[in-house]
Amino acid sequence: MEQIRVQLPDGSIKEVVKGTTVEDVARGISPRLLKAAVCGIVNDVKIDLSFPLEQDCSLTIVTIDSEEGLDVLRHTVAHIMAQAVRRLWPDTKLGIGPTIENGFYYDFDLKHSFTPEDLTKIEAEMEKIIQEDLLITREEISLEEAKKLFTDDGEVYKLELIDELKDQQISVYRQGEFYDLCRGPHLNSTGKVKAFKLLNVAGAYWRGDSERPMLQRIYGTAFPKKSELDEYLVQLEEAKKRDHNKLGRELELFTTSELVGQGLPLMMPKGAKVLQILQRFVEDEEEKRGYLMTKTPFMSKKDLFEQSGHWEHYQDGMFKVPGDDEDDMLALRPMTCPFQFLIYKSKLRSYRELPIRYAETSTLFRNESSGEMHGLIRVRQFTISEGHLICTNDQVESEFKGALDLINFMLDTLGLREDVWYRLSKWDPDNKDKYIGSPEAWERTQEQMRNILDSLGLEYKEAEGEAAFYGPKLDIQARNVHGKEDTIITVQIDFSLPERLDLSYVDRDGEKKRPIVIHRTSIGCYERTLAMLIEKYAGAFPTWLAPIQVKVLPVSDDFVDYAKETAQKLQYAGIRVEVDTRPEKIGYKIRGAQMQKVPYMLVVGAKEKDNNLVAVRHRKEGDIGQMSANDFIGKIIEEIATKKLD
RNA sequence: GCUGGCGUGGCUCAGGGGUAGAGCAGUCGAUUCGUAAUCGACAGGUCGAGGGUUCGAAUCCCUCCGCCAGCUCCA
């Protein structure tokens, strides 16, 4: 029998008979490996355990506890779910069923619309399929065979996918009566699945195209062990408790009213206070870094937006305000750029003035469509730390880096750095109508941005079709507690609007030249940042950001005066303080302050009053002992001044 | 905008054709208390809005508004 040489990840070579399967190799190594094995990687290609090795190769055996193994498991569970849905609703047509971060989904097209109760039914059917321990097999077929197979079933969506696989090997996986177009690999039997859960149902357009039919998507997850699944589900529940939309209302940061409408939150005193602190912090820091503040109108005649291109490219996102007659249309501003450009243009500019850094705490209005609004994250009116750096071509790199340095400083100070990632958002060359400017300029600017990022050694992803209509962006992304991704900060290089608004400066040689504009935010949108902070800290803001920093709690009515006196001292020192004067027991007051997530509680009773002290309790550390009010003030002032994170 | 779910006092929820219920929060009274819930009383709702079916609608039907998740779109 012919022997082949198989190289394992540790570098060792195993000689096996030609035709030996991956599973056999695993068996030959150890029973434990065999049990945990889900698939193999042969010469960098993922394959099933049943794959026979025909020639010398490198082989990694993927186990269920690895990231790749988990992916295989979840993909198989997605098939089991599709099989179950097919058994329960035989008229179901299948869409796609990929794995995603933390789980999988499958899209279905059927007349019946799934209810949450259906998920339980489907889970029960899946459990049966797992009990049946069906063998999962791979079959490679030709394009014609594939077309025939799925035409007979009326699987229109699968046929569309097959059409795009023209030059590739088409494979079908079968388990019992069920089969599906799939690249694989998969577990080798349904019985290997130990722990899964279906999570929710939602609509999703076929191929992500809103012009095409909407299918029903079921999300689920799976883990090698039940305990891991349970742990994950607990984690999900815990995350929901941090939801800014729930906590923000409970903590009286903001509220909404049906009378006001969607996407228009009302900031309550505590929420407004946090926003004010953030805003002052940003404005002061920008001033230190050479920004000039502007204050421009919330609306303009449409003429301005026509010139900037917003009217043509952004009209759907704008609120229009009718004027006295047809031609006198106004619009609320969706961005501040054109206004600041007019300030720049108000006189002739010299190269000596550049770079000019304009900053504005800009309130913007965007007419988001009704299904998009969410808490403080997607709203129709918001305030953003918007700025425009007008510079020469030679200054772009240093200005870009300066903007990014400010951003990173902000993220570090707020403790958010570890929660974000960077994305180079490029245009979509197949969709030129969405943009202004020439393809060459787009490519050149994107390359320039890439070079800057690379020279900083910054790690980033690239994303096509995510650019602004006037230029590419560096977006700084974060996830909310539901795992949904949002842009929180952005830096953009704009070569188009300076042209459209005819910005210029007089250069050293006396010639008029075109400047470049960098659009940037430093913490982005204040409302969205507040939402992130609420979720990051579960409402327990670092002391410098806390709307109430100290709560003074008299042990009984007899000490209310002393409590008020103490609070007065703190207030003079600029500390945000409240006194709980309710005729309640101390435990009750502490509980109240804990639930409001106030950083410090000062308990005052006879012992404190007689010795002119306060008993300090920290929301996390508990009782930290007595000290004089002045000592406490010194301590907390220091904590606030250094913007200490918990 | 699309799909699905949901709207009952400030909050969390029960009731599901026969004239609105609990807990917490609030107010008042009693208690004057030492590190996460003292006791009692009171008050609070045109059951999201508007139409319809019915002798009778919080409950069934329709439209709209709002909330939640996802898709699409975007900071």
Side-chain angles (χ1 to χ4, degrees):
Chain A
M1 281 247 224
E2 201 183 328
Q3 297 276 311
I4 56 166
R5 292 159 61 84
V6 177
Q7 184 173 17
L8 298 171
D10 64 359
S12 65
I13 304 284
K14 218 174 161 61
E15 291 219 6
V16 298
V17 177
K18 184 178 167 189
T20 299
T21 65
V22 176
E23 191 170 16
D24 292 333
V25 176
R27 184 176 291 116
I29 294 170
S30 84
R32 247 178 77 189
L33 182 64
L34 176 66
K35 198 165 171 238
V38 294
C39 73
I41 302 177
V42 169
N43 299 338
D44 296 330
V45 180
K46 275 204 232 176
I47 42 83
D48 292 296
L49 285 178
S50 58
F51 184 84
L53 302 169
E54 301 292 352
Q55 50 196 307
D56 292 356
C57 60
S58 71
L59 170 68
T60 304
I61 291 169
V62 175
T63 56
I64 197 156
D65 49 13
S66 69
E67 204 173 302
E68 283 153 323
L70 198 55
D71 197 63
V72 171
L73 164 69
R74 287 171 175 167
H75 202 172
T76 296
V77 178
H79 275 209
I80 295 174
M81 175 169 81
Q83 183 172 19
V85 169
R86 255 291 183 55
R87 283 186 181 180
L88 295 167
W89 293 276
D91 66 324
T92 303
K93 290 184 177 48
L94 305 178
I96 55 168
T99 58
I100 49 174
E101 204 182 348
N102 298 324
F104 62 86
Y105 67 78
Y106 213 117
D107 287 344
F108 304 104
D109 187 9
L110 67 162
K111 284 199 193 75
H112 171 78
S113 46
F114 294 129
T115 63
E117 296 76 62
D118 288 337
L119 292 189
T120 315
K121 262 197 247 171
I122 298 166
E123 280 175 342
E125 192 61 41
M126 289 170 70
E127 205 58 66
K128 266 193 223 164
I129 293 167
I130 292 166
Q131 290 305 317
E132 288 165 22
D133 196 12
L134 303 170
L135 212 60
I136 302 173
T137 55
R138 177 190 174 95
E139 213 175 292
E140 298 192 344
I141 58 177
S142 68
L143 188 73
E144 285 66 38
E145 288 171 311
K147 277 190 177 169
K148 181 165 188 321
L149 186 63
F150 290 100
T151 306
D152 292 348
D153 272 2
E155 287 282 6
V156 289
Y157 304 107
K158 293 294 177 192
L159 285 170
E160 191 176 323
L161 296 174
I162 290 169
D163 270 338
E164 288 167 24
L165 289 173
K166 279 190 185 75
D167 305 323
Q168 297 168 47
Q169 177 62 56
I170 293 174
S171 55
V172 168
Y173 278 79
R174 289 182 185 274
Q175 54 198 51
E177 83 287 357
F178 178 82
Y179 56 89
D180 195 0
L181 177 74
C182 187
R183 188 178 293 124
H186 278 280
L187 302 184
N188 56 11
S189 81
T190 60
K192 293 229 165 129
V193 176
K194 303 295 177 212
F196 71 92
K197 173 96 186 143
L198 302 187
L199 298 171
N200 53 318
V201 199
Y205 297 111
W206 170 237
R207 315 221 82 182
D209 184 345
S210 55
E211 303 295 311
R212 309 203 59 185
M214 181 162 271
L215 311 182
Q216 299 185 65
R217 174 172 298 177
I218 300 179
Y219 287 92
T221 192
F223 286 87
K225 288 191 223 147
K226 179 85 166 59
S227 59
E228 291 167 284
L229 173 66
D230 291 342
E231 197 182 318
Y232 175 72
L233 296 176
V234 168
Q235 243 179 55
L236 277 188
E237 287 310 307
E238 289 299 313
K240 278 184 196 150
K241 288 185 193 154
R242 306 167 83 94
D243 187 341
H244 82 277
N245 206 3
K246 190 171 152 49
L247 266 183
R249 292 166 199 272
E250 277 171 17
L251 296 173
E252 299 183 0
L253 296 165
F254 72 97
T255 185
T256 50
S257 162
E258 292 189 9
L259 293 173
V260 178
Q262 284 191 302
L264 297 166
L266 302 148
M267 299 309 308
M268 298 171 78
K270 287 179 186 167
K273 179 46 81 178
V274 182
L275 291 182
Q276 185 192 39
I277 297 163
L278 288 172
Q279 186 177 321
R280 286 176 173 173
F281 170 49
V282 168
E283 287 178 350
D284 289 349
E285 187 60 32
E286 286 176 341
E287 188 160 21
K288 286 183 203 162
R289 294 177 185 236
Y291 283 81
L292 306 169
M293 192 173 81
T294 66
K295 207 76 194 152
T296 59
F298 284 8
M299 67 183 96
S300 157
K301 291 199 296 183
K302 77 173 197 288
D303 307 44
L304 176 64
F305 298 119
E306 278 173 346
Q307 209 177 106
S308 67
H310 286 90
W311 201 252
E312 189 188 345
H313 292 274
Y314 206 82
Q315 198 175 152
D316 289 347
M318 291 166 71
F319 285 107
K320 293 164 197 168
V321 182
D324 291 336
D325 58 65
E326 286 286 303
D327 299 330
D328 196 21
M329 176 80 85
L330 295 163
L332 298 181
R333 65 173 179 193
M335 298 174 196
T336 308
C337 19
F339 296 93
Q340 287 190 331
F341 295 166
L342 292 181
I343 289 174
Y344 177 85
K345 277 181 66 165
S346 66
K347 64 175 197 176
L348 201 60
R349 299 289 178 175
S350 154
Y351 72 97
R352 292 172 192 277
E353 292 177 75
L354 302 186
I356 290 177
R357 307 188 185 109
Y358 289 129
E360 180 160 338
T361 301
S362 304
T363 298
L364 305 179
F365 307 85
R366 296 185 186 176
N367 193 2
E368 303 290 344
S369 30
S370 66
E372 312 295 357
M373 265 75 74
H374 168 66
L376 297 180
I377 289 180
R378 275 295 277 282
V379 288
R380 282 182 164 157
Q381 178 192 309
F382 55 93
T383 300
I384 197 165
S385 58
E386 196 174 10
H388 297 93
L389 313 177
I390 303 177
C391 59
T392 67
N393 213 6
D394 293 345
Q395 294 166 335
V396 168
E397 181 166 346
S398 67
E399 287 306 303
F400 192 98
K401 286 179 175 172
L404 197 53
D405 186 66
L406 171 59
I407 288 164
N408 287 333
F409 171 74
M410 292 290 162
L411 289 171
D412 283 332
T413 309
L414 295 171
L416 297 174
R417 185 76 169 266
E418 65 197 22
D419 302 309
V420 304
W421 63 97
Y422 301 82
R423 182 179 82 184
L424 173 54
S425 298
K426 302 183 289 185
W427 78 321
D428 174 5
D430 297 329
N431 212 340
K432 293 195 173 64
D433 292 352
K434 275 178 71 178
Y435 308 95
I436 55 180
S438 70
E440 297 73 37
W442 274 94
E443 295 299 336
R444 188 177 351 104
T445 310
Q446 285 175 186
E447 188 54 33
Q448 184 181 22
M449 207 181 253
R450 201 179 282 122
N451 289 338
I452 295 172
L453 298 178
D454 289 341
S455 80
L456 286 168
L458 197 75
E459 239 181 81
Y460 61 94
K461 297 180 194 170
E462 300 202 9
E464 209 161 80
E466 298 287 350
F469 73 81
Y470 48 77
K473 309 190 283 176
L474 173 69
D475 286 327
I476 298 180
Q477 304 293 108
R479 276 185 208 288
N480 70 7
V481 289
H482 295 106
K484 197 180 165 100
E485 179 178 340
D486 277 297
T487 301
I488 57 164
I489 296 174
T490 181
V491 188
Q492 307 161 6
I493 299 178
D494 178 8
F495 48 86
S496 304
L497 294 183
E499 184 87 34
R500 289 190 73 114
L501 280 130
D502 192 26
L503 304 188
S504 66
Y505 64 93
V506 179
D507 206 354
R508 201 181 292 264
D509 57 11
E511 295 287 316
K512 268 197 178 181
K513 303 233 169 105
R514 191 72 74 202
I516 304 281
V517 172
I518 296 174
H519 305 239
R520 45 102 274 170
T521 63
S522 40
I523 62 167
C525 163
Y526 287 97
E527 291 82 351
R528 193 173 275 188
T529 303
L530 176 58
M532 258 199 94
L533 290 169
I534 295 169
E535 299 191 348
K536 163 89 182 177
Y537 294 109
F541 296 107
T543 305
W544 73 281
L545 283 171
I548 303 295
Q549 296 168 315
V550 179
K551 198 114 179 173
V552 186
L553 312 176
V555 167
S556 79
D557 282 356
D558 293 344
F559 310 105
V560 166
D561 286 344
Y562 181 64
K564 284 185 173 167
E565 236 171 77
T566 307
Q568 194 67 253
K569 273 190 208 163
L570 297 185
Q571 200 166 355
Y572 283 148
I575 295 159
R576 296 184 289 277
V577 58
E578 277 183 356
V579 184
D580 189 342
T581 57
R582 295 174 301 176
E584 296 287 351
K585 284 183 164 179
I586 192 65
Y588 184 85
K589 294 182 187 178
I590 288 172
R591 183 180 148 81
Q594 284 288 154
M595 295 207 305
Q596 284 179 49
K597 321 241 179 189
V598 177
Y600 289 99
M601 288 152 257
L602 300 184
V603 176
V604 293
K607 283 182 268 175
E608 288 73 24
K609 188 181 174 186
D610 295 346
N611 300 299
N612 211 19
L613 297 171
V614 293
V616 183
R617 182 190 163 95
H618 185 262
R619 66 183 166 204
K620 280 188 191 142
E621 291 156 41
D623 190 349
I624 55 178
Q626 290 179 333
M627 60 185 83
S628 74
N630 283 341
D631 283 352
F632 174 71
I633 290 172
K635 180 179 145 64
I636 193 172
I637 291 278
E638 164 79 7
E639 186 178 336
I640 293 164
T642 56
K643 301 189 171 60
K644 185 172 167 244
L645 301 175
D646 270 15

